[in-house]
């Protein structure tokens, strides 16, 4: 694949909120793709801190019901119908990938390599971010749309209870995916001059 093709593929990844279930790709292939991408995503010291739960069908719907329930006491009554509408949008999609980071591995590394103790939680977050991005890009190349949500920590307890998630798995993000029902709007970019510097070229 040329670098230009890679860039084209990166551009396929956008935040798509109008998602549906009109997906031809078999679920087994989606699962394999997600899992292989996670495995190929780098982690500090190859610590492989990422833990991933993929939800489809009733499990996916349950996640968004649990989210609606968890948000209810935290949301002003007049704003709650809008919250429910937004949640319904996520529920209408095909599935959700839950990204966790295993804190037992992070703690183990901190104990083993005390010199880097402060870095391991940061590197764990970075690994989670880049893993999420890789999965998001891969799903986009496969023709699916996705958007990234962060209802953690509000939903952490409900999720852990529902799917028997180990206590050390810290929920970091939720990637909602499905068929693209409406494309993303054109994206705006800040000036390159504010972002990039090159010396000695
Ligand atoms: C670290 C991170 C956190 C984000 N959190 C959310 C979120 O909680 N909810 C949401 O709708 N989008 C979230 N996004 C999506 C961004 O808003 C989106 O990527 C950005 O506006 C650029 O649009 P694009 O994804 O179409 O390129 C997040 C993105 C990143 C990288």
């Amino acid at each position: 694949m040329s670098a230009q093709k890679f860039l084209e593929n990166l551009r396929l990844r956008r935040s798509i909120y109008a998602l549906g279930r009109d997906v031809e790709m078999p679920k087994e292939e989606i699962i394999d793709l997600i899992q292989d991408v996670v495995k190929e995503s780098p982690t500090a010291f190859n610590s492989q801190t990422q833990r991933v739960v993929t939800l489809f069908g009733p499990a996916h719907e349950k996640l968004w019901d649990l989210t609606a329930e968890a948000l209810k006491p935290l949301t002003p009554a007049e704003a709650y119908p809008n919250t429910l509408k937004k949640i319904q949008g996520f529920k209408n999609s095909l599935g959700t990938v839950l990204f966790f980071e295993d804190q037992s591995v992070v703690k183990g590394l901190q104990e083993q390599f005390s010199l880097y103790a402060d870095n391991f939680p940061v590197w764990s977050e970075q690994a989670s971010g880049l893993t999420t991005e890789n999965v998001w890009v891969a799903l986009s190349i496969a023709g699916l749309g996705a958007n990234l949500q962060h209802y953690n920590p509000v939903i952490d307890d409900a999720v852990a209870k529902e799917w028997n998630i180990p206590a050390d798995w810290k929920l970091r993000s939720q990637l909602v995916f499905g068929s693209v029902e409406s494309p993303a709007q054109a994206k705006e970019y800040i000036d390159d001059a504010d972002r990039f510097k090159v010396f000695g070229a």
Side-chain angles (χ1 to χ4, degrees):
M1 181 175 62
S2 70
Q4 214 49 43
K5 185 71 195 165
F6 175 71
L7 193 52
E8 274 174 38
N9 284 336
L10 269 189
R11 289 190 177 120
L12 290 176
R13 186 220 52 79
R14 294 296 312 279
S15 293
I16 308 286
Y17 295 97
L19 295 170
R21 295 178 182 177
D22 189 12
V23 173
E24 277 175 27
M25 189 173 177
K27 290 194 177 70
E28 295 70 29
E29 277 182 35
I30 297 175
I31 294 163
D32 284 350
L33 179 64
I34 291 168
Q35 295 184 178
D36 286 343
V37 169
V38 171
K39 288 166 74 174
E40 297 309 328
S41 298
T43 51
F45 287 45
N46 196 27
S47 52
Q48 301 172 52
T49 44
Q50 317 101 319
R51 303 289 179 267
V52 170
V53 174
T54 305
L55 306 173
F56 289 98
H60 159 76
E61 294 198 6
K62 183 76 188 179
L63 170 75
W64 294 108
D65 287 341
L66 291 172
T67 305
E69 275 171 44
L71 289 172
K72 194 167 186 184
L74 305 174
T75 312
E78 65 276 15
Y80 194 61
N82 265 346
T83 301
L84 282 182
K85 209 168 144 198
K86 198 172 164 190
I87 300 283
Q88 188 60 45
F90 303 140
K91 210 170 156 180
N92 291 343
S93 65
L94 184 69
T96 307
V97 189
L98 304 176
F99 291 92
F100 300 82
E101 285 288 300
D102 190 338
Q103 301 306 302
S104 68
V105 179
V106 176
K107 272 183 227 129
L109 287 164
Q110 288 180 303
E111 282 158 21
Q112 199 183 343
F113 304 101
S114 54
L115 185 62
Y116 301 115
D118 292 346
N119 293 107
F120 286 113
V122 178
W123 289 337
S124 158
E125 292 295 302
Q126 291 176 346
S128 182
L130 66 87
T131 301
T132 305
E133 152 78 357
N134 282 346
V135 172
W136 195 348
V137 173
L139 292 174
S140 306
I141 294 169
L144 280 75
N147 65 73
L148 185 62
Q149 299 305 317
H150 293 89
Y151 288 100
N152 47 290
V154 171
I155 60 171
D156 288 16
D157 290 346
V159 166
K161 196 169 159 214
E162 182 67 27
W163 290 289
N164 202 17
I165 304 296
D168 285 320
W169 291 22
K170 187 175 178 189
L171 182 60
R172 307 315 297 135
S173 63
Q174 304 85 52
L175 188 67
V176 189
F177 61 89
S179 51
V180 179
E181 299 302 318
S182 172
Q185 310 239 312
K187 191 162 152 170
E188 288 178 6
Y189 299 89
I190 61 169
D191 284 347
D192 284 358
D194 293 333
R195 191 173 348 205
F196 303 114
K197 290 184 194 298
V198 177
F199 301 100

